[in-house]
Amino acid sequence: MTSLRQLIQERFGKELEISGGFGASLEDAIRIDAGYPFGVDLEYTVLKFIHAMIEKNWQLEKQELREVDGRYFDVMYVVTEDDPDNYHKYYFDITKPYLRK
């Protein structure tokens, strides 16, 4: 199966410091492998690329930090212009940049 990192590399020619899944759940979180402060910006960059691939304008509505078993996750709540009443959640494992502040 092709990873999100590979899809972004193939489609946009950008090599991002990410691994893991596609962000649909905590278990499938997009892992940010860059340290602080670059890891913070990388979440937004990944969201931009995801929505460019699906060709939908998006807006971040809210963001929440969760700690689960010693790991830190950002949950990004996004709405798209074609579906402004429903949140799309993306889970990012930000343990590496979070612990290196």
Side-chain angles (χ1 to χ4, degrees):
M1 180 175 174
T2 303
S3 70
L4 179 59
R5 180 181 181 165
Q6 290 169 314
L7 286 174
I8 292 170
Q9 168 77 38
E10 291 167 6
R11 180 98 184 254
F12 303 102
K14 298 290 185 184
E15 185 70 31
L16 301 181
E17 290 185 72
I18 62 171
S19 57
F22 285 81
S25 65
L26 286 173
E27 297 78 21
D28 187 50
I30 301 162
R31 187 175 312 115
I32 302 296
D33 295 327
Y36 183 83
F38 304 106
V40 176
D41 292 336
L42 193 50
E43 290 176 89
Y44 296 95
T45 300
V46 170
L47 287 173
K48 283 195 282 190
F49 283 128
I50 288 171
H51 288 89
M53 284 189 279
I54 62 174
E55 298 179 350
K56 291 189 179 191
N57 292 324
W58 63 282
Q59 179 176 327
L60 180 66
E61 288 293 312
K62 69 178 183 173
Q63 178 177 352
E64 77 182 19
L65 177 66
R66 293 189 189 173
E67 188 270 324
V68 179
D69 297 328
R71 300 200 64 81
Y72 295 89
F73 297 86
D74 261 345
V75 184
M76 311 292 263
Y77 293 81
V78 171
V79 293
T80 56
E81 69 181 2
D82 66 327
D83 193 13
D85 297 325
N86 292 306
Y87 289 117
H88 304 275
K89 288 192 242 179
Y90 295 91
Y91 294 83
F92 288 88
D93 181 338
I94 60 163
T95 303
K96 184 175 182 177
Y98 187 82
L99 293 177
R100 293 194 178 166
K101 284 190 201 176

